[in-house]
Amino acid sequence: MSAIECRLFINGEWVEPGGGEWTGVLNPATGEVIGRAACATGEQVDRAVAAARAAFPTWAALPARERGLLLERARQEVARRQEEIARLITLENGKPLKDARGEVAWTMELLRFYAAEAERVAGSTVPGYQANRRSIVIRQPVGVVAAIAPWNFPVDLLSWKLAPALAAGCTVVAKPAPNTPLAAAAFIDCFRQAGFPPGVVNFVCGGAELGEALVSHPGVDKVSFTGSTEVGRRVMTAAASHLAKVTLELGGHAPVIICEDADLDRAIPYTVRRSFSHAGQICHSINHILVHRSIAEPFIDRFVAAARKLRVGNGLDVPDADLGPLATPAVLRKVEEHVADAIEKGATVLLGGHRLADPPYDRGWFYAPTVLTGITPDMRIAREETFGPVAPITVVRDDEEALSLANATPYGLVAYVFTRDLDRAFRLSERLEAGTIGVNNCSTVQLNAPYGGWKQSGLGVELASEGIQEYLRLKHVAIELRTA
Ligand code: NAD
């Protein structure tokens, strides 16, 4: 397989698109075509699902320890190819190379974690209802998993699904986002190189229509989807047609509350990074800063000063840039619309507020780090996910106002609080409506803690031992012994 051409991986082989159709892959930093991806046909989706079904009984029956050893071998292949994969991520997604390297490092961690977790899946015994009855509860793999990923972490987020699914004994048909298939294909190839049996891991490329065909396929037992809330709703509806289980990791609108006793030396670097890193295209990026009025002035001054220093760059030319371009023209358009809407409704621009159109940014989809104040609830930016390098700031009177604004969106993925007061940290954490809370930090994701959205940010969890449960089903075995 040529690294920059992405074919389809079905039943252990890289194959050409059935209809002969390819789609170009663009570099967001330059707008240039850097590769192409095969467009799978509906018949190829059928073949991929059939291959996964055929491989399932043998894979599920393999001792968990052996599945874990194979996952460890896949991790070693990713380690061997990490620089190649990272460069592909930067090329097609735009994030600076240092962040792409970080993404691959996390992917390896995922594989390490679930390689070990495979053999820790345990059932239970419960007291039988009669003296000669024994009852055991076992956990078995769900079956064929459709794993659908977005473009913002094209490799890492596939590993969030593949690693636990494969460890649990499921087989997989994976689909990347249409604009970021190249690094994902190289990642999938690591499973082939690691010696996974044909059909255990399959990979099809395409857009919404193909995704829908995969999710609605009656041969799929479980759908694990990461993407927008809007598409998540459609995925759930399609999966309902054959009652496939679903895990949905959806959009976010993360608030951060800066209390008047916050340690700004800590709050500033964390909030700047979590607002602008990966150009704000992370589900747990900060979408609303709620700062107490008594500390608003120093916070805003220091925040703007730090944001002004951020380096924007083409991620291959400037590997340690703080942020790169937006991933697609559509993402850029949405950011422009949100900022224009906020300005029209009275927001003040303290920094940025425009596209970067001069060289070296003129050919790509770069947007300046932007800070807005004077946010009001009627602005789109106050309740919709912007997914761009924009930090809207609202000055609040007290914790009650901060909480009511923080909880006023349909989302509930992540929220952050900065305070030196332990009581307040507990009380605010408990009342914030989100699946993850960062107190005095904005870097909350860790492998051994579950990650999942509340409200319209998702259903189910990923990561940790809870994450593997999403790929298992329970079975009660009631055994009657001969009467003694
Ligand atoms: P998206 O919802 O547009 O697409 C996600 C994936 O779904 C892509 O592979 C796409 O091709 C596919 N798809 C589109 N329509 C489909 C359909 N009808 N049926 C099946 N599949 C379909 O999202 P995106 O723009 O690629 O990614 C950005 C979104 O992802 C943001 O909302 C972000 O918050 C969210 N996200 C969430 C998490 C999380 O863990 N909660 C992590 C990363 C990104």
Side-chain angles (χ1 to χ4, degrees):
M1 187 195 69
S2 149
I4 215 84
E5 180 176 284
C6 152
R7 285 180 280 160
L8 313 166
F9 192 62
I10 300 175
N11 204 21
E13 283 177 14
W14 286 102
V15 299
E16 302 276 322
E21 199 186 324
W22 297 81
T23 177
V25 181
L26 307 179
N27 179 346
T30 63
E32 288 163 346
V33 177
I34 40 126
R36 63 176 194 160
C39 304
T41 60
E43 188 266 332
Q44 285 178 311
V45 170
D46 291 344
R47 279 188 44 219
V49 173
R53 284 227 79 80
F56 174 64
T58 310
W59 180 248
L62 199 66
R65 182 173 171 278
E66 287 177 38
R67 291 198 300 268
L69 289 173
L70 267 171
L71 276 172
E72 168 54 23
R73 228 175 281 154
R75 189 197 65 77
Q76 288 165 9
E77 289 303 325
V78 175
R80 207 174 51 76
R81 295 177 64 174
Q82 57 187 301
E83 187 61 15
E84 171 204 345
I85 297 172
R87 294 182 84 81
L88 285 172
I89 292 174
T90 296
L91 265 176
E92 64 187 348
N93 161 292
K95 72 178 66 172
L97 190 55
K98 84 165 173 356
D99 292 343
R101 287 178 179 141
E103 176 172 345
V104 182
W106 257 105
T107 302
M108 290 189 279
E109 281 293 284
L110 255 294
L111 292 167
R112 174 190 66 76
F113 184 88
Y114 282 110
E117 199 65 16
E119 64 186 272
R120 294 189 191 131
V121 169
S124 59
T125 60
V126 291
Y129 259 29
Q130 290 151 26
N132 63 338
R133 279 289 194 108
R134 304 291 179 270
S135 269
I136 58 170
V137 180
I138 60 172
R139 293 173 197 272
Q140 293 186 308
V142 170
V144 173
V145 173
I148 299 186
W151 47 261
N152 66 336
F153 287 85
V155 172
D156 184 29
L157 290 180
L158 269 187
S159 77
W160 284 39
K161 304 175 184 328
L162 264 70
L166 294 168
C170 294
T171 55
V172 178
V173 180
K175 188 194 95 58
N179 53 318
T180 54
L182 304 178
F187 170 59
I188 293 291
D189 201 43
C190 293
F191 291 88
R192 179 188 64 80
Q193 289 175 307
F196 273 67
V200 172
V201 175
N202 304 273
F203 178 75
V204 293
C205 300
E209 212 178 305
L210 189 93
E212 186 119 15
L214 178 58
V215 172
S216 343
H217 200 293
V220 165
D221 302 296
K222 155 95 196 173
V223 177
S224 183
F225 171 86
T226 301
S228 60
T229 297
E230 188 195 344
V231 174
R233 248 180 238 118
R234 284 209 288 277
V235 164
M236 195 164 169
T237 307
S241 67
H242 54 293
L243 289 179
K245 276 170 71 112
V246 290
T247 302
L248 303 174
E249 293 287 358
L250 307 177
H253 194 282
V256 53
I257 300 178
I258 311 288
C259 298
E260 68 264 37
D261 62 349
D263 173 3
L264 291 191
D265 290 340
R266 217 148 29 136
I268 297 294
Y270 265 127
T271 52
V272 168
R273 180 166 161 67
R274 194 44 74 224
S275 296
F276 300 109
S277 158
H278 194 6
Q281 302 166 111
I282 307 180
C283 53
H284 53 265
S285 290
I286 290 171
N287 277 256
H288 204 171
I289 299 175
L290 304 160
V291 58
H292 191 276
R293 60 186 172 192
S294 67
I295 203 176
E297 199 178 317
F299 175 85
I300 293 171
D301 288 351
R302 290 180 61 180
F303 186 87
V304 171
R308 199 185 296 283
K309 287 195 197 131
L310 293 173
R311 275 206 305 169
V312 184
N314 175 330
L316 281 188
D317 296 346
V318 192
D320 60 348
D322 294 297
L323 59 152
L326 295 168
T328 67
V331 177
L332 174 64
R333 224 167 15 250
K334 185 175 176 200
V335 173
E336 288 179 321
E337 282 169 16
H338 274 204
V339 173
D341 171 76
I343 293 171
E344 196 188 302
K345 291 174 180 154
T348 304
V349 181
L350 297 187
L351 185 70
H354 54 84
R355 183 179 179 173
L356 293 172
D358 294 332
Y361 305 116
D362 51 331
R363 291 180 305 144
W365 307 309
F366 291 93
Y367 197 86
T370 293
V371 183
L372 303 175
T373 53
I375 304 304
T376 51
D378 59 327
M379 295 175 185
R380 290 179 66 187
I381 215 156
R383 52 178 201 279
E384 293 177 29
E385 185 181 38
T386 304
F387 234 49
V390 184
I393 303 180
T394 296
V395 178
V396 293
R397 311 185 279 287
D398 53 23
D399 289 358
E400 286 308 314
E401 187 185 9
L403 267 175
S404 82
L405 289 170
N407 289 336
T409 76
Y411 298 106
L413 193 59
V414 178
Y416 310 99
V417 178
F418 283 83
T419 177
R420 286 182 165 109
D421 179 339
L422 188 62
D423 284 15
R424 211 170 188 179
F426 269 104
R427 293 198 196 294
L428 288 172
S429 304
E430 285 162 7
R431 291 179 62 196
L432 280 162
E433 295 166 357
T436 299
I437 312 289
V439 177
N440 293 329
N441 79 88
C442 299
S443 168
T444 50
V445 177
Q446 74 186 44
L447 292 175
N448 57 359
Y451 184 80
W454 285 21
K455 293 154 77 177
Q456 294 185 32
S457 284
L459 211 60
V461 294
E462 293 194 295
L463 305 183
S465 53
E466 288 88 346
I468 201 170
Q469 300 303 333
E470 303 270 333
Y471 300 95
L472 293 162
R473 51 190 167 179
L474 293 170
K475 182 181 279 176
H476 172 209
V477 183
I479 304 165
E480 188 160 304
L481 308 180
R482 272 199 305 273
T483 314

